[in-house]
Amino acid sequence: MSGWKPQRPNGADVTFFLCDDAKCGPGSKVSYRLYPPNTTMTIEQFRASQEQTIKLLDRRVPGQTTTILGVDGDKGTGVPRVFRVRRLKVAPDGTREYQVSGVLFGVKGSASLISSADSEKGSTTNFAQFAVPVLVLLGLPPRQ
């Protein structure tokens, strides 16, 4: 994808990209991790897990505050489906980072996808840009 440079974290099984172009917002990050198929998680379970996640994120960095701006997703257990949470992370120095974190479900597997940018629009746009190819990678159901 244009403007994105693949990064290789040490020994991680995460695929990570860093933006170096005005189109995606220099310094923006997107990463995803693939998992085996999972069709049992519900939007309610995802929402509850996000409440726990922000508590853990804020405990790691004293003075940081993370706020959930919204949670949305497909109802049911069919595939493909996507759950997303939009968050605002404010660092102790006042720096703001907008994040969209989601779980994507396909026939062949599931994935976590996280997009971070200095604007809410940027994080949302970048998440959407990567969600489509990740869903294709996870396998779309055959047409009926």
Side-chain angles (χ1 to χ4, degrees), residues 49-102:
S49 74
Q50 292 308 304
E51 294 290 340
Q52 293 302 312
T53 298
I54 65 167
K55 289 177 187 173
L56 292 172
L57 290 172
D58 288 348
R59 263 190 256 163
R60 278 199 251 169
V61 180
Q64 174 178 289
T65 57
T66 306
T67 305
I68 292 178
L69 302 174
V71 177
D72 60 68
D74 304 314
K75 301 215 183 313
T77 57
V79 293
R81 77 179 190 285
V82 177
F83 299 154
R84 301 181 322 155
V85 61
R86 293 176 295 104
R87 302 186 289 235
L88 171 60
K89 182 175 79 173
V90 181
D93 68 0
T95 304
R96 294 172 170 258
E97 179 180 79
Y98 291 87
Q99 303 171 334
V100 178
S101 179

Side-chain angles (χ1 to χ4, degrees), residues 42-49 75 83:
T42 65
I43 188 69
E44 292 79 16
Q45 290 169 323
F46 177 74
R47 185 176 283 113
S49 74
K75 301 215 183 313
F83 299 154

Side-chain angles (χ1 to χ4, degrees), residues 91-135:
D93 68 0
T95 304
R96 294 172 170 258
E97 179 180 79
Y98 291 87
Q99 303 171 334
V100 178
S101 179
V103 180
L104 293 70
F105 303 90
V107 173
K108 296 178 186 174
S110 59
S112 62
L113 176 64
I114 302 171
S115 170
S116 303
D118 63 4
S119 73
E120 186 173 6
K121 182 176 191 251
S123 65
T124 301
T125 300
N126 294 340
F127 181 92
Q129 181 181 8
F130 277 81
V132 172
V134 171
L135 279 169

